[in-house]
Amino acid sequence: MKVFLFFLLKKIIILFIVLFITLFMTIFLLGSTMDKIMMDQVRLQAINSFSGAALENPKLQQLKTNEERQKLIDQQIKIQSQSLGLDEPWYSPKKLFNSIYKIITLNLGNSRFFTTYYGSNSVNDLILEKLPNTILLFTSSSITIILIGLFFGTYLASKEGSIPEKFISGLAATSRGVPDWWFSMIMIVIFSFFLHVFPSRATPLSSPNEPGYIIDLLYHMTLPFITLVIIGFSPFVYYVKYIVLRILDEDFIKTLKIMGIPQKNILYIHALKNAGPQLSTILGLGITASLSGSLLVEQIFDWPGMGNLFYNAITQNDSPLIIGLSYISVLIYLLTRLILDICFTFFDPRIKSGET
Amino acid sequence: MTLKLTRLIKENKGGFIGTLLLFFLMVMTFYALFFVSTQSRLQWNDPIHWSDNPKTAAPEWFNVILKPFGHQLPEHKIFYQKDATVNSINETDFKLENNTFSYQFDFNEFPPAFDIPYEITLGEIPPILEVYVKRPDNLEFKIYSNSLESVSSSQNNGDNAVDNNNNNSTTPTLIDSNTVLGRVFSSSSDVRNSLAEYGGIFKFPISGLSAEKIIFSKTDSNTPLKGKYEFIFSVYSFDSDTVLKNLQLVIQGKVYGLLGTDELRRDVFFGILIGTPVALFIGITVALSSSFIGLFYGLYSGYTGKKAGTFMLTVIDIFISLPTFIIFIIISIHFGRNLLFLIGLFILFGWPGVALLNRTFSIQIKNYPYIEASKLMGESDFKIVLRHIVPQLLPFTLANFALSVPIAILGESALSFLGFGDPSFPTWGQMLQEAHASSAETLGYWWWIVSPGLMISVTSIAFILIGRSLENLVKIGKRR
């Protein structure tokens, strides 16, 4: 148990290091643009508030010359930027600490160009609006892929050398080399342009508060879902087959066979159970890979998820949104990895007993 | 010997297919490197260079597939001045020169457009240009006329007119003191206005239709009229110095070339060709460097063990846990659009995986008795590593090398697709990005999407197949 705790601690420390590296890198690379944006906002605010105040206060209207007016505005800007810390460069330790603190406490600021359906432009709201869609699409397709993989992989392990088994091996090699985003484009050409079965844009046409929204969403989700399953299932089937095959070689399976336990039970109960630890690692790698791959696939299908938002933020150079989104995605990515690592250690008796 | 080879091929079908694919890619690379000049490669991003090509045309062989369905798409056709029959009439005070192109049209669809580029050396008096179309049903339309007076009078401010010949205006422009460069576009308002006068002949309203849909249409319904068309380009010249040069008639088609064209009229096949060496260069450079770094990093951290080894393992752990793609994007936003920079980035994040594998193996090998024996014999660590461990790891490194090529190629294409590609080196990923930006998939320009993606996949699959069979060979060798 002590070893297990030590292992866990090590993982968590690495997780924090990684999180800080990415955060630091993001701020390092986007910090200067962020400051410029903030400064522009302050300037605009100062001018607006001055013209607003000038209407009410007749004293201010007496400042006839432009120079005097400018002087006052400049003064305002200076006070404002000092209070926000904009007079210091972004790399001053105080500010660096401040911005990291802000991001860690999920105070992600406002997007420059994007708003939610209800009109809020806060980065938090934007992410909260898009995140469920991403989770919906990617968990449902991942679960389907896992189920297909477990069933077919184990089945094919008992049929080594048969034509379907060779076919899956070939398909697995092929689909690892095919970019999934390109495959999505091909699927749109086939199913949307030539066959007119599914819409080419996966953003539902009805608004979120209409009653038929869920059905509309699911209908628009079908094509991306099918695409993700087709591109993802064969490597997983291949891995499951590979792992189960190695377990079938072991002595205890032979003993079970001699004991007269039916082939089906051996395969689906005993072999699969023992494949658990190894499967969970591969599963983890697969899920984390699909999370980062989601960016392009979502953009091509125009699925209203985080990846699509990320793509649009990049093309519009919306720095606050980019920083917020990368932080959240890195967080999700690392948490998934941590949970999977914990599961893995929990399953694997070697780590618990401290053999490694 | 041959028997051995056939057996090897039979046992490693995947590897054999991979080698064949690689050979095909090598042929493309050599062709692109030695037969395509740097200058024509740079013309990829120059729209004027491609102006004689049709826009978003399907591949030519697509007509063969359509033949059983009784449908044919119009082919792209370019007539040069030498193809025209010239007919000159000399009058007392002027000379009329008719250049007639005859065009056989038998397709079920209207051609998408046509244009007539020309070049005229001016004499003292500017000539008058007229373009007529004579149709199979003996109707004759005058579609364009221009006396070049306005051009010659604007001689003084001729410098602002140079880059004018690619936007859709038929206005001829002066390129130097006495040469006029012009292009009659079917989509221009001049042509449409002159066709509007023939509205009475047609039994349907022609006001909203584009010029080619009127000229090539039957009079009773708006369907293509097949037969022989004559395009007559007439020049009325008033002195002997007026010379017509480089006259062409370009009938835009809907099929062109081996792989069609894109939205900017570029030949997709040419893009595929010049993208091959770039993709292989990226893949091989990244894989070579990262497996080299990975080999020695893994060796060192595995062989020394102790604290340094553990620390090096932690570094690998951190690198592996980094969400590479997001980091790539963030770095590329700031520095991107440079090929060498991209390669460096892939190497930076490519070696840790290889290092981890090599570390595990070198720990295994380190504990073999013969290593301990040579240690006892007083061999230096450096010699042991070089003589006993590296040779054992090399086959694995070779397999790793082959398997990391596709990672780099796929990564580059994905980043290019996001718009971080190097514009001076057109790659397949950039082609797909442009296709997606013009929403080629919803408009059904499949040729523009299929071929670049297929090339990415073929290259990656070739290396995956080779890497896998190498892995198998190593494993079998070990077992024996």
Side-chain angles (χ1 to χ4, degrees):
Chain A
M1 205 58 206
K2 209 173 168 188
V3 184
F4 175 63
L5 279 180
F6 178 72
F7 177 84
L8 201 65
L9 200 71
K10 196 180 132 198
K11 284 280 167 201
I12 291 173
I13 289 171
I14 286 183
L15 186 142
F16 269 105
I17 294 174
V18 167
L19 195 63
F20 270 93
I21 288 177
T22 28
L23 252 181
F24 220 73
M25 212 134 86
T26 331
I27 293 168
F28 176 75
L29 295 173
L30 299 176
S32 47
T33 25
M34 273 284 267
D35 273 7
K36 228 185 280 166
I37 296 163
M38 289 272 272
M39 202 63 206
D40 284 345
Q41 268 176 359
V42 166
R43 193 165 295 136
L44 205 73
Q45 221 171 12
I47 292 168
N48 278 345
S49 67
F50 178 81
S51 49
L55 282 177
E56 290 164 13
N57 195 343
K59 235 185 194 173
L60 283 173
Q61 279 175 350
Q62 286 169 358
L63 299 168
K64 278 276 149 49
T65 55
N66 265 339
E67 264 174 45
E68 275 176 35
R69 210 177 279 179
Q70 196 58 45
K71 217 171 157 190
L72 207 74
I73 291 174
D74 281 346
Q75 215 173 15
Q76 273 293 309
I77 290 172
K78 208 176 165 193
I79 294 167
Q80 280 272 336
S81 61
Q82 255 170 8
S83 72
L84 285 169
L86 285 173
D87 51 335
E88 285 177 75
W90 60 270
Y91 44 79
S92 69
K94 192 175 130 200
K95 252 188 98 183
L96 218 54
F97 179 77
N98 218 346
S99 34
I100 288 181
Y101 176 76
K102 252 163 106 184
I103 292 171
I104 287 178
T105 52
L106 290 180
N107 185 359
L108 298 174
N110 290 331
S111 155
R112 289 165 72 194
F113 305 112
F114 297 94
T115 56
T116 61
Y117 179 75
Y118 298 102
S120 154
N121 69 344
S122 124
V123 172
N124 286 354
D125 288 348
L126 271 165
I127 292 174
L128 275 181
E129 189 190 53
K130 306 289 184 190
L131 189 60
N133 288 335
T134 299
I135 291 175
L136 178 67
L137 178 59
F138 285 89
T139 35
S140 60
S141 57
S142 297
I143 288 170
T144 318
I145 288 170
I146 290 164
L147 289 180
I148 293 176
L150 288 181
F151 184 76
F152 271 106
T154 325
Y155 173 76
L156 288 176
S158 65
K159 306 252 170 203
E160 207 202 352
S162 67
I163 291 169
E165 191 260 350
K166 278 182 179 161
F167 176 72
I168 285 287
S169 302
L171 198 65
T174 319
S175 56
R176 268 211 330 193
V178 174
D180 45 4
W181 45 276
W182 172 68
F183 190 69
S184 316
M185 291 171 92
I186 296 294
M187 290 295 273
I188 291 177
V189 172
I190 295 172
F191 285 99
S192 170
F193 180 77
F194 282 117
L195 299 177
H196 300 288
V197 187
F198 296 110
S200 59
R201 292 268 167 256
T203 302
L205 299 170
S206 47
S207 60
N209 29 17
E210 274 175 50
Y213 178 71
I214 298 293
I215 294 163
D216 201 18
L217 191 74
L218 289 179
Y219 170 62
H220 281 82
M221 199 182 92
T222 323
L223 190 57
F225 174 79
I226 292 173
T227 310
L228 286 173
V229 170
I230 290 179
I231 201 80
F233 87 95
S234 61
F236 194 61
V237 170
Y238 179 80
Y239 283 129
V240 172
K241 187 207 78 187
Y242 181 77
I243 291 162
V244 170
L245 258 182
R246 279 194 5 200
I247 286 165
L248 287 183
D249 260 357
E250 282 182 29
D251 289 338
F252 79 93
I253 296 282
K254 281 170 198 154
T255 321
L256 286 174
K257 263 185 199 160
I258 294 164
M259 281 164 70
I261 290 168
Q263 170 86 357
K264 228 188 211 167
N265 286 6
I266 293 177
L267 268 179
Y268 287 101
I269 298 172
H270 300 281
L272 210 54
K273 205 159 97 187
N274 281 282
Q278 280 159 308
L279 280 181
S280 68
T281 2
I282 281 160
L283 234 144
L285 288 177
I287 287 176
T288 39
S290 82
L291 264 175
S292 55
S294 72
L295 202 151
L296 292 172
V297 174
E298 276 189 11
Q299 153 61 20
I300 283 161
F301 283 112
D302 200 19
W303 175 251
M306 286 238 299
N308 200 359
L309 187 68
F310 207 155
Y311 180 92
N312 291 331
I314 292 166
T315 45
Q316 307 273 348
N317 204 3
D318 191 334
S319 327
L321 195 54
I322 294 174
I323 292 179
L325 275 168
S326 32
Y327 176 67
I328 297 286
S329 7
V330 171
L331 205 63
I332 293 172
Y333 175 88
L334 292 175
L335 281 179
T336 327
R337 275 195 87 109
L338 183 71
I339 292 168
L340 284 164
D341 272 340
I342 292 170
C343 292
F344 175 42
T345 12
F346 209 71
F347 275 129
D348 195 348
R350 278 174 308 169
I351 292 177
K352 260 189 268 182
S353 62
E355 254 178 58
T356 38
Chain B
M1 183 63 202
T2 43
L3 206 82
K4 222 176 168 184
L5 198 70
T6 43
R7 221 186 68 192
L8 196 72
I9 290 172
K10 226 176 189 177
E11 276 172 9
N12 297 287
K13 258 186 212 143
F16 181 62
I17 295 170
T19 320
L20 278 186
L21 291 177
L22 190 65
F23 180 72
F24 161 70
L25 290 167
M26 290 312 255
V27 170
M28 296 253 305
T29 308
F30 279 117
Y31 186 82
L33 286 181
F34 295 114
F35 293 95
V36 179
S37 64
T38 326
Q39 203 199 344
S40 53
R41 192 175 9 212
L42 289 176
Q43 270 159 350
W44 178 253
N45 288 325
D46 174 19
I48 294 167
H49 176 72
W50 302 98
S51 54
D52 283 347
N53 279 5
K55 215 174 180 180
T56 54
E60 237 159 43
W61 45 264
F62 192 48
N63 261 345
V64 180
I65 296 174
L66 287 179
K67 210 157 204 172
F69 301 99
H71 195 86
Q72 290 287 282
L73 294 171
E75 274 163 25
H76 190 68
K77 193 113 193 170
I78 301 177
F79 297 94
Y80 296 96
Q81 194 164 11
K82 61 178 178 357
D83 303 324
T85 45
V86 186
N87 174 14
S88 307
I89 302 161
N90 281 309
E91 297 280 330
T92 45
D93 48 354
F94 70 93
K95 184 182 142 198
L96 169 63
E97 190 189 309
N98 284 330
N99 295 275
T100 311
F101 298 101
S102 61
Y103 170 57
Q104 186 65 32
F105 176 75
D106 344 88
F107 303 104
N108 314 62
E109 272 183 47
F110 294 111
F114 63 86
D115 39 304
I116 307 168
Y118 60 88
E119 201 180 317
I120 286 178
T121 314
L122 293 179
E124 236 166 82
I125 311 164
I128 293 172
L129 309 179
E130 278 179 350
V131 182
Y132 295 91
V133 180
K134 210 169 160 190
R135 294 165 27 116
D137 52 3
N138 282 328
L139 285 172
E140 196 176 275
F141 297 161
K142 177 181 168 186
I143 58 170
Y144 181 73
S145 78
N146 193 345
S147 62
L148 293 175
E149 263 170 45
S150 57
V151 184
S152 50
S153 64
S154 69
Q155 266 188 19
N156 298 334
N157 49 14
D159 14 292
N160 61 351
V162 177
D163 59 353
N164 228 355
N165 58 2
N166 201 50
N167 50 23
N168 264 6
S169 78
T170 35
T171 323
T173 48
L174 271 178
I175 50 170
D176 57 51
S177 61
N178 63 345
T179 314
V180 168
L181 200 69
R183 204 173 177 118
V184 180
F185 287 96
S186 62
S187 54
S188 67
S189 54
D190 295 327
V191 174
R192 218 175 307 148
N193 290 343
S194 20
L195 276 172
E197 288 171 23
Y198 302 100
I201 298 171
F202 294 93
K203 289 182 181 147
F204 50 89
I206 63 163
S207 58
L209 294 171
S210 51
E212 70 280 350
K213 281 187 182 147
I214 302 166
I215 293 170
F216 291 98
S217 171
K218 287 179 184 162
T219 48
D220 44 355
S221 67
N222 195 13
T223 46
L225 173 69
K226 293 180 186 177
K228 198 175 111 184
Y229 287 80
E230 280 181 355
F231 282 76
I232 304 155
F233 189 89
S234 339
V235 183
Y236 294 88
S237 49
F238 304 99
D239 50 43
S240 54
D241 294 335
T242 309
V243 184
L244 177 68
K245 279 187 300 190
N246 295 336
L247 175 70
Q248 281 177 33
L249 168 65
V250 183
I251 309 266
Q252 307 267 333
K254 282 184 176 168
V255 289
Y256 181 81
L258 194 59
L259 293 175
T261 59
D262 65 8
E263 186 102 340
L264 295 169
R265 300 162 194 272
R266 297 181 292 202
D267 190 350
V268 173
F269 178 70
F270 187 73
I272 296 282
L273 190 67
I274 60 176
T276 320
V278 183
L280 284 185
F281 176 69
I282 293 171
I284 289 171
T285 322
V286 170
L288 210 61
S289 335
S290 55
S291 38
F292 196 74
I293 297 170
L295 174 66
F296 285 100
Y297 190 96
L299 254 179
Y300 188 79
S301 78
Y303 189 77
T304 47
K306 294 177 217 156
K307 266 187 183 162
T310 325
F311 175 73
M312 285 168 92
L313 179 65
T314 320
V315 172
I316 294 178
D317 263 355
I318 289 171
F319 262 100
I320 286 179
S321 324
L322 281 174
T324 353
F325 199 59
I326 292 169
I327 289 181
F328 278 0
I329 290 169
I330 293 165
I331 297 178
S332 297
I333 289 173
H334 212 248
F335 301 110
R337 286 166 210 276
N338 183 327
L339 189 66
L340 289 178
F341 168 76
L342 274 185
I343 289 175
L345 207 62
F346 286 124
I347 295 171
L348 183 65
F349 289 94
W351 63 269
V354 187
L356 195 64
L357 269 176
N358 279 318
R359 190 190 121 92
T360 327
F361 282 128
S362 63
I363 288 176
Q364 257 177 32
I365 296 168
K366 190 175 87 175
N367 295 328
Y368 285 160
Y370 69 86
I371 302 279
E372 282 181 17
S374 35
K375 252 186 200 168
L376 286 177
M377 277 163 70
E379 271 191 78
S380 69
D381 280 352
F382 183 72
K383 232 176 175 180
I384 291 174
V385 168
L386 222 60
R387 270 177 111 183
H388 300 297
I389 301 185
V390 171
Q392 295 238 22
L393 287 179
L394 271 183
F396 283 102
T397 313
L398 212 63
N400 277 329
F401 161 74
L403 288 175
S404 15
V405 173
I407 297 174
I409 290 176
L410 290 174
E412 190 276 337
S413 56
L415 277 185
S416 291
F417 189 79
L418 282 172
F420 299 125
D422 190 337
S424 48
F425 294 93
T427 60
W428 302 324
Q430 288 173 39
M431 290 174 79
L432 285 171
Q433 188 242 333
E434 281 156 4
H436 181 64
S438 358
S439 47
E441 67 267 33
T442 28
L443 295 170
Y445 304 146
W446 51 270
W447 55 92
W448 193 5
I449 302 167
V450 170
S451 28
L454 210 58
M455 286 305 284
I456 297 172
S457 314
V458 162
T459 318
S460 315
I461 289 167
F463 282 100
I464 288 175
L465 288 175
I466 292 172
R468 272 202 184 173
S469 58
L470 276 177
E471 247 177 11
N472 283 340
L473 279 179
V474 173
K475 271 181 205 156
I476 290 166
K478 268 242 140 118
R479 220 178 281 162
R480 276 173 194 162

